[in-house]
């Protein structure tokens, strides 16, 4: 199920972020820097404890022992997590106490950010030695530090939902990175047959790549299109800095890259370069690229780890999340593929800066779809900001008031998708509602030889589905007119006249939702209430087509 968003914590008095990490990682220094940049308070658990016990922690350790200290620490942390709204730094050993771990899990489950500050071991050990007064490092300090690191690192990773690597960074740069990464939206995806993963939405989300891939892979195939070279350069630098061997694989743009022939070329490359089952795939690009990368990951060695890094609005809200992978054939779209979930999805808002206006707008088709089938607030946001969205300019996007609007639209749309995917990974029922507008839309794409972009085709497909729902007595006319009006205000097409009815009908019979010779659509009874429209009256199917064509 999808977890609470960070916005739901606004009414609660809880820390803006909690920092965990090893001794010498810089939790206090960077926490103070972060709090100053944000203009909020800072608290350090060790300082709180010393004030409460009236002596230094080393003295308390010597007099009462570690168990007594951990109990004081537990009480202090529990109280602060429920009463403080600034940046909170914990002592290195605090998360090792089960009750503290449980409190941190609860905090994170309700939208909190637990930051694992992952410093270079040599830097952290040197700072820890220089700081002194650390009873856990008595004896050979470096050896003790490494032993504690090996014990604590898995626990830090378990409790944290943000991992920030600070090696070689100035305090200000590290603090900015921490702020960037804690401002992300996180949607958690799990369910039957799904290995849980997170979709991260925010400026700088690509920084999570090494942590999502993990320590297992040696080689990483970075699959991307030429049009996103600037972003692939950044991803490659992040991967190489983390120690991975990166194979750069460039594929054709859009649907031309989503074929069995392109996949076969990648399989040949992976074989020649010795990729094993423990290596990984990263797909960076639009929806067609992430679909292909997922398909390659699902089929190479019967399945290897992969991460999706969508660079278009459409890919962020649709193709990259949900575990559908595949390629097109001459007979239809996505007819060959598999359900195979990623290890994570990193929707970095920086990648939208290179997006042309028309490619951004087509992504709004899938955003609107999610509003129609489940979250009406999406439609309200689209209405309120239609003019700004239609005038999207990538060059000014990150510094504009539109950025938080787009971030919220992406997060809400991903939550709609997560709701359906968590309950129905393999599209046996509920997940089919995500195909609202797609039966007619896919036919348009096929008949236009994919010159029409997916989001535009889905927009017309939603108009068709609304008209069909109206003709079959399920949907009122004002909602149909509202569909036309909203999509038009966003700059999306609402009509099409590219082929005759018989050609369209033949392709709709090949749709994945079809059963035998029976047509099957997703219809709408009212906003937020989709339904399965099975074998509708043939005259209504034709009349809906005529209405959409007459508008052209």
């Amino acid at each position: 199920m999808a977890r609470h968003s960070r916005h739901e914590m606004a009414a609660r008095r809880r820390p803006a972020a909690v920092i965990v990490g090893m001794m010498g990682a810089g939790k206090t220094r960077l926490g103070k820097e972060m709090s100053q940049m944000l203009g909020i308070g800072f608290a350090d658990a060790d300082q709180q404890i010393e004030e409460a016990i009236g002596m230094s922690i080393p003295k308390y350790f010597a007099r009462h022992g570690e168990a007594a200290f951990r109990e004081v620490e537990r009480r202090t942390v529990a109280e602060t997590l429920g009463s403080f709204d600034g940046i909170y730094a914990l002592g290195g050993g605090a998360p090792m106490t089960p009750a503290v771990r449980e409190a941190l899990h609860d905090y994170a489950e309700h939208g909190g950010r637990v930051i694992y500050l992952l410093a270079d071991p040599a830097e952290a050990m040197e700072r820890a030695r220089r700081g002194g007064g650390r009873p856990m490092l008595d004896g050979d300090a470096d050896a003790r530090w490494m032993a504690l690191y090996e014990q604590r690192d898995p626990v830090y990773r378990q409790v944290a939902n943000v991992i920030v690597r600070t090696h070689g960074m100035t305090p200000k740069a590290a603090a900015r990175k921490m702020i960037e990464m804690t401002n992300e939206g996180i949607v958690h995806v799990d369910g039957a047959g799904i290995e849980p993963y997170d979709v991260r939405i925010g400026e700088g989300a690509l920084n999570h790549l090494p942590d999502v891939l993990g320590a297992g892979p040696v080689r990483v195939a970075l699959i991307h299109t030429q049009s996103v070279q600037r972003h692939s350069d950044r991803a490659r630098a992040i991967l190489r800095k983390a120690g991975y061997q990166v194979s750069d694989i460039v594929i054709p743009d859009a649907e031309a890259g989503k074929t069995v022939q392109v996949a076969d070329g990648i399989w040949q490359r992976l074989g020649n370069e010795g990729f094993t089952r423990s290596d990984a795939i990263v797909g960076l690009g639009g929806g067609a690229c992430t679909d292909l990368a997922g398909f390659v990951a699902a089929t190479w060695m019967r399945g290897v780890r992969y991460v999706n890094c969508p660079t278009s609005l459409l890919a962020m809200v649709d193709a990259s999340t949900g575990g559908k992978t595949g390629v097109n054939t001459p007979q239809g779209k996505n007819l060959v593929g598999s359900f195979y979930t990623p290890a994570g999805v990193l929707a970095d808002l920086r990648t939208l800066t290179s997006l042309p206006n028309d490619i951004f707008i087509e992504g709004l088709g899938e955003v609107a779809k999610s509003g129609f089938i489940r979250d009406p607030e999406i439609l309200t946001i689209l209405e309120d900001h239609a003019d700004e969205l239609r005038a999207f300019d990538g060059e000014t996007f990150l510094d504009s008031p539109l950025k938080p609007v787009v971030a919220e639209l992406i997060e809400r749309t991903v939550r709609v998708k997560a709701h359906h995917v968590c309950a129905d990974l393999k599209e046996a029922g509920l997940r089919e509602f995500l195909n609202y507008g797609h039966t007619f839309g896919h036919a348009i794409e096929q008949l236009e030889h994919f010159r029409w972009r997916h989001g535009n085709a889905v927009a017309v497909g939603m108009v068709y589905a609304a008209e069909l729902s109206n003709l079959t007595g399920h949907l009122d006319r004002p909602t149909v007119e509202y569909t036309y009006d909203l999509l038009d205000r966003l700059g999306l097409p609402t009509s099409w006249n590219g082929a005759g009815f018989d050609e369209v009908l033949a392709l709709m019979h090949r749709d994945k939702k079809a059963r035998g010779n029976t047509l099957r659509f997703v219809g709408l009874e009212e906003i937020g209430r989709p339904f399965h429209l099975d074998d509708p009256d043939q005259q209504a199917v034709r009349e809906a087509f005529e209405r959409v064509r007459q508008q052209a």
Side-chain angles (χ1 to χ4, degrees):
M1 296 178 62
R3 287 179 179 162
H4 302 283
S5 82
R6 61 193 183 282
H7 310 298
E8 295 169 9
M9 292 187 67
R12 306 181 185 188
R13 189 169 170 80
R14 292 196 173 195
V18 176
I19 306 174
V20 301
M22 284 296 293
M23 294 169 283
K27 299 185 294 294
T28 300
R29 171 77 183 276
L30 297 183
K32 286 181 178 178
E33 195 80 52
M34 187 180 180
S35 70
Q36 288 171 7
M37 288 181 176
L38 294 171
I40 58 179
F42 172 79
D44 182 284
D46 285 350
Q47 292 176 1
Q48 290 178 314
I49 292 167
E50 290 191 334
E51 290 173 9
I53 61 181
M55 65 181 75
S56 70
I57 289 174
K59 276 188 179 180
Y60 194 86
F61 248 78
R63 187 174 300 178
H64 300 286
E66 183 180 357
F69 168 76
R70 295 301 178 197
E71 175 56 24
V72 175
E73 183 179 56
R74 181 198 65 77
R75 290 198 306 267
T76 302
V77 172
E79 181 181 339
T80 307
L81 285 177
S83 62
F84 178 65
D85 55 7
I87 306 298
Y88 191 34
L90 301 190
M96 304 307 291
T97 302
V100 173
R101 283 202 300 277
E102 186 177 337
L104 290 173
H105 280 304
D106 179 72
Y107 164 75
E109 284 283 345
H110 289 87
R113 295 294 186 262
V114 181
I115 304 172
Y116 173 18
L117 209 53
L118 190 57
D120 175 68
E123 292 178 359
M125 282 189 284
E126 195 277 329
R127 282 195 294 264
R129 285 194 307 271
R130 192 171 63 234
R134 301 179 187 274
M136 297 299 290
L137 296 184
D138 287 346
D140 185 337
D142 286 1
R144 286 286 296 149
W145 192 97
M146 284 304 301
L148 287 169
Y149 171 74
E150 290 175 6
Q151 177 188 9
R152 293 175 177 179
D153 175 68
V155 176
Y156 294 153
R157 292 179 183 274
Q158 180 190 12
V159 300
N161 52 21
V162 177
I163 299 176
V164 179
R165 298 167 185 265
T166 62
H167 178 50
M169 302 182 77
T170 66
K172 283 190 181 297
R176 279 195 295 270
K177 185 176 180 180
M178 292 163 71
I179 292 169
E180 208 173 67
M181 294 173 76
T182 52
N183 280 337
E184 293 170 352
I186 302 176
V187 180
H188 188 68
V189 183
D190 61 16
I194 300 174
E195 187 173 338
Y197 64 94
D198 288 331
V199 181
R200 294 180 177 270
I201 304 139
E203 191 177 345
L206 275 179
N207 289 319
H208 292 287
L209 255 178
D211 301 304
V212 179
L213 286 169
V218 173
R219 301 170 190 82
V220 175
L222 178 59
I223 301 173
H224 65 93
T225 57
Q226 190 66 47
S227 61
V228 297
Q229 188 69 48
R230 183 173 70 180
H231 309 306
S232 65
D233 288 346
R234 184 165 148 242
R236 190 182 312 107
I238 291 170
L239 291 168
R240 285 181 174 161
K241 186 176 181 181
Y244 299 104
Q245 297 174 19
V246 183
S247 295
D248 201 61
I249 301 177
V250 183
I251 64 171
D253 277 328
E255 302 296 331
K258 192 176 163 181
T259 67
V260 175
Q261 291 74 25
V262 173
D264 182 59
I266 298 174
W267 291 326
Q268 299 292 334
R269 176 93 176 262
L270 298 181
N272 290 336
E273 296 185 12
F275 270 70
T276 69
R277 184 169 289 175
S278 64
D279 293 319
I281 306 288
V282 170
L284 189 146
C289 178
T290 57
D291 277 357
L292 177 82
F295 180 66
V296 170
T299 50
W300 183 253
M301 298 278 181
R302 296 189 178 91
V304 297
R305 194 171 183 83
Y306 83 106
V307 179
N308 275 335
C309 301
T311 60
S312 70
L313 178 62
L314 182 75
M316 289 179 183
V317 300
D318 182 37
S320 63
T321 301
K324 275 188 180 180
T325 76
V327 294
N328 303 328
T329 68
Q331 290 73 35
K333 187 171 180 179
N334 298 325
L335 294 180
V336 176
S338 68
F339 292 96
Y340 190 66
T341 52
V345 178
L346 304 177
D348 194 323
L349 297 181
R350 289 181 189 171
T351 63
L352 297 180
T353 59
S354 60
L355 209 60
N357 173 269
D358 61 327
I359 308 303
F360 175 83
I361 287 174
E362 71 126 346
L364 295 174
E366 284 285 354
V367 174
K369 177 206 73 180
S370 294
F372 280 113
I373 66 171
R374 181 166 175 83
D375 183 1
E377 182 62 24
I378 289 174
L379 302 181
T380 300
I381 295 170
L382 291 173
E383 285 182 70
D384 291 345
H385 299 278
D387 291 342
E388 304 100 288
L389 290 165
R390 188 168 183 167
F392 172 84
D393 179 358
E395 290 186 5
T396 61
F397 169 64
L398 291 181
D399 296 319
S400 74
L402 193 61
K403 185 177 80 168
V405 174
V406 172
E408 183 173 1
L409 286 171
I410 294 170
E411 185 171 340
R412 282 184 173 274
T413 306
V414 171
R415 287 187 184 281
V416 170
K417 184 148 193 177
H419 167 78
H420 292 82
V421 170
C422 290
D424 177 22
L425 174 65
K426 296 191 175 180
E427 205 169 48
L430 181 68
R431 183 170 179 168
E432 284 191 336
F433 290 150
L434 292 171
N435 288 318
Y436 182 62
H438 283 57
T439 303
F440 191 83
H442 281 165
I444 292 175
E445 289 181 273
Q446 187 78 5
L447 289 164
E448 293 286 352
H449 305 288
F450 300 108
R451 289 186 297 266
W452 267 56
R453 289 200 166 265
H454 178 71
N456 292 338
V458 167
V460 178
M462 285 190 288
V463 171
Y464 177 86
E467 290 282 15
L468 184 59
S469 299
N470 174 252
L471 286 163
T472 54
H474 294 90
L475 186 65
D476 61 49
R477 192 68 207 168
T479 304
V480 179
E481 296 301 329
Y482 172 76
T483 302
Y484 278 103
D485 180 64
L486 177 62
L487 297 178
D488 183 64
R489 285 187 60 202
L490 293 170
L492 290 160
T494 56
S495 61
W496 177 76
N497 188 22
F501 176 71
D502 290 340
E503 294 173 276
V504 173
L505 184 65
L507 284 173
M508 291 195 298
H509 270 290
R510 292 184 196 166
D511 183 77
K512 297 189 297 298
K513 292 184 302 302
R515 301 292 184 267
N517 292 321
T518 302
L519 278 175
R520 199 160 186 251
F521 296 88
V522 175
L524 204 64
E525 293 181 314
E526 61 183 43
I527 290 174
R529 288 186 60 191
F531 73 104
H532 289 111
L533 180 54
D534 295 338
D535 200 20
D537 178 75
Q538 185 79 1
Q539 185 55 41
V541 174
R542 181 183 290 272
E543 177 60 25
F545 171 78
E546 293 299 332
R547 290 184 180 183
V548 170
R549 187 166 69 168
Q550 286 168 11
Q551 301 291 327

